[in-house]
């Protein structure tokens, strides 16, 4: 017969942090130091699993979480003030993509397809910024980006004068976001947070267009060394096609999109198979996906993200390590 301890351990192994915390707070575990520690770890784990990036690394109301876990989460945090330190996901998106890979894998194993598709969609939105990171030296930090995209000959964030030929392929929302990113670091906190919520992903898309799709390039890309530019263009084209792939488009059939259906695991696998075929038409995509037969539920996705990032990206173990801490505390 299963004991309460067995049930708690099973929930921990399934990353069911919310359910586990609810049972703990209802007195399933003796009211001692263990219950407080487990509740805090559960609250932290659920926040990370939900990709609640604005609050990553913040203290939990349920209790204290080990600083080493908080610091690992902060690496993927979006700073909530213009001068906040450390810069988290504005310094580098690589920790965030490692975490996304871990979350996607966990959602697959839990059969949470709506949440999986939402995580894939987030990954698609910021892939152009991930591709630009080696060139910029940061992940599109508004406090630093001006030096790389401004100056003579740049049309980045420059309004189109009425009656003049349109020389920039950015959409109106992209132009507005690019203009905003050049000044938002000097704005108060509410304006900064509104920019991150509504426009930062548009800047990512705009940078991708600069490198991969612009018909009349300006100095944003022409200032780059030819080899650097060619490499960046190849990675941004791959990122753009991933964002347009059947896998990302599944979002529009899920509750997080515009409909009420949730894709089945079989539909997710089929969409990823079609996406792989399309992405393999790119030389870089073909090299990344060729012969991929790994244990990852969407085979080749870590390799694809690594190719776009120009850096090795493996799934993180942050949530796995949270589960291990919970199991250790329970025992």
């Amino acid at each position: 017969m299963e004991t309460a301890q067995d049930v708690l351990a099973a929930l921990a192994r399934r990353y069911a942090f919310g359910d586990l915390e609810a049972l703990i707070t209802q007195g399933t575990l003796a009211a001692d130091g263990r219950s407080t520690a487990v509740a805090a770890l559960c609250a932290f784990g659920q926040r990370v699993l939900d990709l609640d990036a604005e609050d990553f690394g913040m203290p939990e109301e349920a209790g204290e979480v080990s600083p080493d876990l908080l610091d690992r989460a902060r690496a993927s945090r979006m700073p909530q003030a213009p001068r906040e330190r450390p810069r988290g996901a504005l310094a580098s998106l690589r920790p965030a993509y490692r975490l996304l890979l871990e979350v996607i894998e966990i959602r697959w194993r839990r059969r949470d397809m709506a949440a999986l598709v939402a995580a894939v969609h987030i990954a698609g939105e910021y892939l152009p910024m991930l591709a630009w990171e080696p060139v910029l030296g940061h992940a599109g930090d508004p406090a630093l980006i001006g030096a790389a995209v401004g100056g003579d000959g740049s049309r980045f964030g420059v309004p189109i004068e009425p009656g003049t030929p349109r020389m920039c392929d950015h959409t109106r929302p992209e132009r507005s976001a690019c203009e905003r990113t050049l000044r938002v670091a000097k704005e108060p906190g509410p304006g900064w947070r509104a920019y991150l919520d509504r426009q930062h992903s548009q800047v990512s898309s705009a940078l991708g267009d600069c490198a991969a799709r612009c018909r009349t390039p300006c100095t944003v890309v022409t200032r780059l060394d030819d080899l650097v530019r060619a490499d960046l263009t190849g990675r941004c084209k791959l990122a753009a096609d991933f964002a347009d792939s059947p896998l990302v488009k599944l979002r529009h059939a899920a509750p997080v999109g515009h409909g009420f259906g949730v894709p089945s695991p079989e539909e997710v696998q089929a969409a990823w198979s079609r996406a792989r075929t399309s992405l393999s038409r790119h030389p870089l995509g073909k090299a990344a996906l060729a012969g991929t037969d790994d244990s990852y539920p969407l085979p080749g996705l870590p390799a694809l993200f690594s190719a776009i990032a120009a850096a090795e990206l493996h799934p993180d173990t942050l949530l796995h390590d949270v589960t291990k801490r919970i199991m250790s505390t329970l025992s």
Side-chain angles (χ1 to χ4, degrees), residues 135 211 221-234:
V135 177
V221 291
T222 59
R223 73 182 74 188
L224 301 175
D225 175 85
D226 288 346
L227 291 178
V228 172
R229 180 178 172 184
D231 174 66
L232 175 63
T233 296

Side-chain angles (χ1 to χ4, degrees), residues 28-302:
T28 306
L29 194 66
D32 55 21
R34 289 187 305 156
S35 61
T36 300
V38 171
L41 285 166
C42 287
F44 172 78
Q46 191 64 51
R47 188 188 302 281
V48 174
L49 185 60
D50 288 341
L51 297 172
D52 185 12
E54 67 180 28
D55 291 327
F56 280 179
M58 299 299 289
E60 297 294 341
E61 290 183 9
E64 291 188 6
V65 177
S66 176
D68 66 306
L69 295 176
L70 290 174
D71 287 345
R72 289 170 64 184
R74 287 189 185 105
S76 299
R77 171 180 163 84
M78 277 292 185
Q80 295 301 291
R83 296 177 182 82
E84 182 179 312
R85 294 289 186 274
R87 299 302 277 172
L90 294 179
S92 175
L93 279 168
R94 292 170 186 176
Y97 272 83
R98 294 186 185 102
L99 180 59
L100 278 165
L101 286 169
E102 184 183 19
V103 167
I104 290 168
E105 184 172 18
I106 289 171
R107 292 300 190 182
W108 173 267
R109 305 207 184 284
R110 285 174 51 85
R111 294 298 188 259
D112 293 337
M113 294 300 108
L116 181 149
V117 169
V120 167
H121 182 265
I122 292 170
E125 281 194 320
Y126 287 97
L127 271 181
M129 198 80 84
L130 183 71
W132 268 87
E133 186 175 319
V135 177
L136 295 174
H138 54 84
D141 189 337
L144 302 173
I145 198 171
V149 298
D152 292 341
S154 171
R155 294 190 288 272
F156 188 91
V158 177
I160 295 177
E161 295 292 334
T164 61
R166 179 175 172 174
M167 299 294 289
C168 179
D169 285 339
H170 287 166
T171 64
R172 183 175 294 178
E174 286 175 343
R175 287 198 304 275
S176 176
C178 290
E179 187 274 332
R180 184 82 181 280
T181 199
L182 295 174
R183 59 180 172 82
V184 73
K186 298 178 182 178
E187 293 185 12
W192 170 266
R193 290 186 289 275
Y195 161 81
L196 290 178
D197 287 342
R198 301 168 193 164
Q199 293 184 294
H200 194 55
S201 62
Q202 290 281 356
V203 174
S204 175
S205 175
L207 285 170
D209 290 345
C210 288
R213 295 174 172 172
C214 187
R215 294 167 294 180
T216 54
C218 69
T219 55
V220 170
V221 291
T222 59
R223 73 182 74 188
L224 301 175
D225 175 85
D226 288 346
L227 291 178
V228 172
R229 180 178 172 184
D231 174 66
L232 175 63
T233 296
R235 292 185 290 112
C236 282
K237 284 183 175 180
L238 190 57
D241 275 11
F242 178 85
D244 291 335
S245 71
L247 181 64
V248 175
K249 288 180 178 178
L250 281 177
R251 179 181 187 269
H252 298 287
V256 290
H258 305 297
F260 292 97
V262 176
S264 67
E266 293 75 21
E267 288 173 320
V268 170
Q269 285 182 321
W272 176 233
S273 179
R274 295 196 302 275
R276 281 173 57 103
T277 300
S278 175
L279 294 166
S280 293
R281 297 192 181 106
H282 296 263
L284 187 63
K286 183 177 181 179
L289 297 170
T292 302
D293 187 24
D294 53 35
S295 60
Y296 196 76
L298 300 179
L301 190 63

